[in-house]
Amino acid sequence: MSTQHVQRMSRLMAKTLREDPADAETLSHRLLVRAGYVRRSSAGVWSWLPLGKRVLDNVSRIVREEMDGIGAQEVLLPALLPKEPYEVSGRWSEYGDLLFRLKDRKGADYLLGPTHEEIFTLVVKDQCTSYKDLPVMLYQIQTKYRDEARPRSGVLRGREFQMKDSYSFDVSDEGLAESYRLHREAYVRIFERLGLDHRVVSAVSGAMGGSASEEFLAPAPAGEDTFADCPSCGYAANTEAVTFALTPAEGEHGPLEEIPTPDTPTIESLAAHLGIPASATLKNLLVKVDGEITAVGVPGDREVDLGKLGEHLAPAVVELVTAEDFTGRPDLVRGYVGPQGLEKVTYLADPRVAPGTSWVTGANQPDTHARNVVCGRDFEVDRYLDVVVVQEGDPCPSCGAGLRLDRAIEIGHIFQLGRKYADAFGLDVLGKEGKPVRVTMGSYGIGVSRAVAALAEQTADERGLCWPAAVAPADVHVVAAGKAVPLALAESAADSLAAAGLRVLLDDRPGLSPGVKLTDAELIGVPWILVAGRRSAESVVELQDRRSGTREELPLEEALSRLTADA
């Protein structure tokens, strides 16, 4: 046990605010600014003030301890990175506008690192030459950069953020699976120690590549991710990873019949005109995939999830067609496209458009549709992809029960990358048989600054922040609610608590009313508040549990004994 320093608020750089910031959209944004934890520097860029830096450091400490516990080694790689490795991997172009790019005085291209797969791969290639050097797991906690088009929600979505990224390197798929398991279990321990309510859900790898992929999500109304979970069997997945079984339909269908449908270019107008449900129609969305026109078929009552489509087709670039794309394409009739008879167009479809299903869809002629258009008879699907927007009540892929949807903040993501980057950079080691062996990789990220915001979202109440003890900026907030005698008692209590090894925040600010100090104490959100007030002459204090709100008057010595019992 070591004596802690008492942080006096009279010397602390932390100005609290009574009103919410005008641009604040989320609870964490409002409270972290109001309580003096962070201040906005520019759009998506934040300064961490002393209280905020303490919380950030506590999160980082827990992450470090658990990463060290699985045998990972900490390094620190540069944030300013050369263009060439990212050209080799293809991500110089794939990242597009998200990448911060710059030139040095000699005209050489650089970027500010969004993630470091390329650089870690090169480090291991330089340092590891034999299978005896592996497995190895490396990690860093570092500032990352992404040029978000609309940074928002405070530190939840910024252009500059703190992240722990780690990478595993193994000589076999079995070794990668073990490294993945170690990280997964470490992540569960990290988020449990942080006090974060979280879900581990299946995810898609997308542009990261690889096979297995899982996200760690913190349920919160401010979350930008939507995940599905099953109340019956416990299945959980990001909505981009929810699948639907391809089940061919059986039955007899009449011949394809073209029918006049004037002024019905939308699903809604078509369904109303024919007196049929939208689910009986086939919607065909035209997109461009790396510049090539592609049709995507889904039931008419469903929407195409463009993010999901992009993840499936990554690293290809997916964009909607424009009016100009119809020029010179008489087979593409805007508002009346059908899959039958399409020329030079790849046809993708959701599994709900299964072989044997019959649809009403466009006839590729103005003001005309076709009925009894049967998949497998009148048109073929080139590739099936789960691309519809998942809805509440959709069947669980595991047990068939109705799914629930909820919002969440992504706080971690783990991937089995495989050999994508090893192939790009020729990362081989000498194997047991004396021949080169291609290394396989895993990639594992935790949003450290985002975890701070997620904790604020989950634990705050109507009075302010309410930190779990493991990450709080102090253990006890001592308030001198008065002048001479209360201040002396508060100082004595603070010194005793610090000597016992507790981290203490002492509100000794002169000229402020007890009400203002107590309001600030609740806003700042330290687990325990000890108030030296009206009964200070009797050495009686008030002890408040910030989370439960319970208050109790008791002798100072008893309060100190209770607070230091587990120190």
Side-chain angles (χ1 to χ4, degrees):
M1 179 177 66
S2 60
T3 300
Q4 296 287 325
H5 168 70
V6 174
Q7 176 62 64
R8 292 176 175 264
M9 288 190 68
S10 60
R11 304 299 304 160
L12 178 67
M13 190 175 71
K15 179 182 286 187
T16 58
L17 304 176
R18 298 277 79 85
E19 301 296 330
D20 291 335
D23 62 340
E25 300 176 346
T26 60
L27 182 63
S28 60
H29 186 176
R30 296 196 298 271
L31 293 180
L32 288 172
V33 172
R34 281 188 53 206
Y37 283 74
V38 299
R39 284 294 185 272
R40 181 181 182 272
S41 178
S42 61
V45 182
W46 292 84
S47 298
W48 291 81
L49 303 182
L51 289 177
K53 183 61 164 56
R54 288 189 182 192
V55 176
L56 192 67
D57 287 347
N58 287 335
V59 173
S60 298
R61 171 182 52 79
I62 290 172
V63 171
R64 280 193 173 93
E65 289 172 358
E66 294 297 340
M67 293 307 299
D68 292 345
I70 63 171
Q73 303 172 61
E74 184 172 9
V75 298
L76 182 61
L77 302 189
L80 179 63
L81 303 171
K83 169 187 178 180
E84 290 74 17
Y86 288 79
E87 276 195 317
V88 171
S89 68
R91 296 207 296 174
W92 177 261
S93 57
E94 288 170 16
Y95 258 104
D97 292 338
L98 277 176
L99 210 58
F100 277 104
R101 307 165 198 264
L102 63 155
K103 292 181 181 289
D104 67 9
R105 65 182 65 195
K106 297 180 180 179
D109 287 306
Y110 287 82
L111 66 140
L112 296 178
T115 59
H116 279 65
E117 281 82 2
E118 291 85 349
I119 311 305
F120 271 88
T121 302
L122 291 172
V123 167
V124 171
K125 184 176 181 180
D126 175 68
Q127 295 291 311
C128 301
T129 58
S130 167
Y131 73 94
K132 296 178 181 179
D133 299 324
L134 301 180
V136 66
M137 294 182 288
L138 304 174
Y139 77 96
Q140 64 175 349
I141 298 177
Q142 198 214 45
T143 303
K144 307 289 187 182
Y145 301 88
R146 292 177 191 168
D147 192 2
E148 296 283 354
R150 185 175 172 262
R152 55 195 179 276
S153 304
V155 298
L156 266 179
R157 180 169 289 278
R159 290 175 167 169
E160 177 186 272
F161 52 94
Q162 292 289 307
M163 179 178 171
K164 187 284 301 178
D165 54 328
S166 57
Y167 305 87
S168 63
F169 299 84
D170 290 271
V171 294
S172 68
D173 293 340
E174 293 76 16
L176 170 58
E178 175 63 10
S179 296
Y180 186 91
R181 182 190 66 81
L182 289 171
H183 274 86
R184 191 184 193 279
E185 292 176 354
Y187 275 35
V188 170
R189 291 192 296 271
I190 287 168
F191 297 129
E192 287 178 347
R193 289 181 61 186
L194 291 177
L196 273 168
D197 176 25
H198 67 280
R199 306 286 187 276
V200 187
V201 306
S202 300
V204 293
S205 298
M208 292 293 290
S211 53
S213 174
E214 291 176 292
E215 290 177 343
F216 292 76
L217 302 179
E224 294 185 335
D225 278 41
T226 302
F227 74 99
D229 73 324
C230 177
S232 295
C233 72
Y235 168 87
N238 185 301
T239 53
E240 293 182 350
V242 174
T243 59
F244 184 85
L246 178 65
T247 306
E250 297 180 357
E252 296 295 326
H253 303 287
L256 186 151
E257 176 188 0
E258 294 185 355
I259 50 178
T261 51
D263 300 321
T264 57
T266 66
I267 293 295
E268 293 75 15
S269 59
L270 174 64
H273 179 79
L274 296 178
I276 60 174
S279 59
T281 68
L282 179 60
K283 179 186 299 182
N284 301 287
L285 179 71
L286 296 182
V287 298
K288 289 187 291 187
V289 179
D290 282 345
E292 295 295 325
I293 293 181
T294 299
V296 184
V298 300
D301 63 336
R302 306 301 291 254
E303 297 296 328
V304 175
D305 187 331
L306 291 175
K308 203 171 183 179
L309 179 64
E311 291 284 359
H312 280 303
L313 299 179
V317 176
V318 179
E319 53 189 337
L320 293 173
V321 298
T322 62
E324 290 74 20
D325 294 310
F326 288 86
T327 303
R329 293 297 302 266
D331 59 316
L332 301 178
V333 181
R334 198 168 191 177
Y336 297 89
V337 172
Q340 69 285 3
L342 282 181
E343 299 176 1
K344 299 179 181 178
V345 174
T346 299
Y347 194 73
L348 310 177
D350 187 80
R352 293 166 179 82
V353 188
T357 54
S358 179
W359 306 91
V360 175
T361 190
N364 301 308
Q365 301 176 45
D367 296 326
T368 308
H369 281 82
R371 63 162 56 104
N372 299 327
V373 181
V374 180
C375 180
R377 185 191 74 180
D378 303 310
F379 69 94
E380 299 291 337
V381 174
D382 294 308
R383 181 182 176 189
Y384 280 103
L385 298 172
D386 287 284
V387 292
V388 301
V389 175
V390 176
Q391 297 177 352
E392 189 97 14
D394 276 352
C396 169
S398 179
C399 73
L403 292 171
R404 298 179 306 195
L405 300 183
D406 204 354
R407 305 292 294 174
I409 299 164
E410 182 184 337
I411 49 177
H413 205 156
I414 56 178
F415 302 87
Q416 289 190 26
L417 282 180
R419 294 171 176 82
K420 174 180 177 179
Y421 292 93
D423 287 341
F425 294 97
L427 176 55
D428 296 328
V429 295
L430 197 63
K432 289 183 178 180
E433 307 301 324
K435 297 179 180 180
V437 175
R438 183 69 27 112
V439 173
T440 185
M441 292 173 56
S443 174
Y444 318 90
I446 287 179
V448 175
S449 50
R450 177 172 278 205
V452 174
L455 279 165
E457 291 287 340
Q458 286 191 343
T459 61
D461 58 22
E462 69 280 359
R463 293 170 291 163
L465 297 165
C466 192
W467 299 111
V471 301
D475 297 306
V476 186
H477 189 145
V478 178
V479 177
K483 296 184 179 178
V485 176
L487 177 60
L489 188 65
E491 289 176 332
S492 173
D495 288 341
S496 297
L497 291 168
L502 296 180
R503 301 163 299 145
V504 182
L505 188 62
L506 170 63
D507 194 344
D508 62 337
R509 294 174 294 174
L512 295 181
S513 69
V516 169
K517 290 184 177 181
L518 291 171
T519 298
D520 279 352
E522 291 183 329
L523 177 63
I524 289 169
V526 169
W528 291 98
I529 301 172
L530 188 149
V531 183
R534 59 186 178 84
R535 298 186 63 184
S536 293
E538 307 169 54
S539 289
V540 173
V541 297
E542 180 184 89
L543 185 61
Q544 177 182 344
D545 182 328
R546 174 65 185 85
R547 182 168 299 282
S548 68
T550 57
R551 305 166 186 259
E552 182 180 1
E553 283 193 341
L554 66 170
L556 175 61
E557 290 304 316
E558 185 178 339
L560 295 178
S561 176
R562 188 178 300 181
L563 290 170
T564 58
D566 298 322

